[in-house]
Amino acid sequence: MSSGGDRKRQSFLGFLGFAGFIGFSYFHDHNIATLGYFAYFGFFAYFWIAKIANQMPDERYLENIAKAKSTAFDIAIIELVALNLLSLFGFTTKEVLVALLALCFSSLLIIYAVKFYLLEEK
């Protein structure tokens, strides 16, 4: 069960999303490593998750968490297989691959938050 401290911690994780703006420095310095910062945009989803987490967790709430994680995991597997195939067959550059990998990570968090919200709203 989530305690008040866990809810507060989830809200603070949302502020990590601002680190995603560092990724835009790639267009200035062309350092491929800075593209990885785009993954941090996914942490903005924690603002949404923390808002939902303010309610008292019950059996349905815990079941919705499990369903949302399962959906996000399934989509992440598809994204990573697609990225692997793109890289194996040379259809992409290093820059695009790093950016897509960062977007896959952030999409994992966002998909989880959206699915969780939709399940909680039922």
Side-chain angles (χ1 to χ4, degrees):
M1 291 198 181
S2 296
S3 66
D6 289 341
R7 291 183 204 130
K8 195 176 273 191
R9 200 172 311 124
Q10 283 183 347
S11 181
F12 287 127
L13 281 174
F15 288 105
L16 283 175
F18 289 106
F21 290 108
I22 297 171
F24 289 111
S25 68
Y26 168 77
F27 300 108
H28 174 68
D29 62 12
H30 300 287
N31 180 2
I32 295 174
T34 58
L35 290 172
Y37 283 101
F38 285 127
Y40 284 96
F41 280 129
F43 284 98
F44 281 129
Y46 275 98
F47 287 126
W48 205 354
I49 293 169
K51 183 179 174 186
I52 296 169
N54 280 333
Q55 59 188 335
M56 185 59 106
D58 58 359
E59 190 173 312
R60 188 188 75 142
Y61 176 87
L62 298 174
E63 185 177 305
N64 288 343
I65 287 175
K67 286 180 184 177
K69 286 180 180 179
S70 174
T71 301
F73 176 78
D74 291 343
I75 293 172
I77 292 293
I78 293 167
E79 290 174 340
L80 292 175
V81 167
L83 278 178
N84 190 28
L85 291 174
L86 283 174
S87 67
L88 284 176
F89 296 118
F91 291 127
T92 184
T93 64
K94 291 177 191 176
E95 291 86 358
V96 172
L97 192 60
V98 171
L100 287 174
L101 187 61
L103 291 174
C104 285
F105 177 79
S106 65
S107 74
L108 215 163
L109 296 173
I110 293 168
I111 290 166
Y112 166 71
V114 169
K115 179 69 174 181
F116 183 54
Y117 175 78
L118 292 174
L119 289 170
E120 281 296 306
E121 290 299 309
K122 283 186 181 179

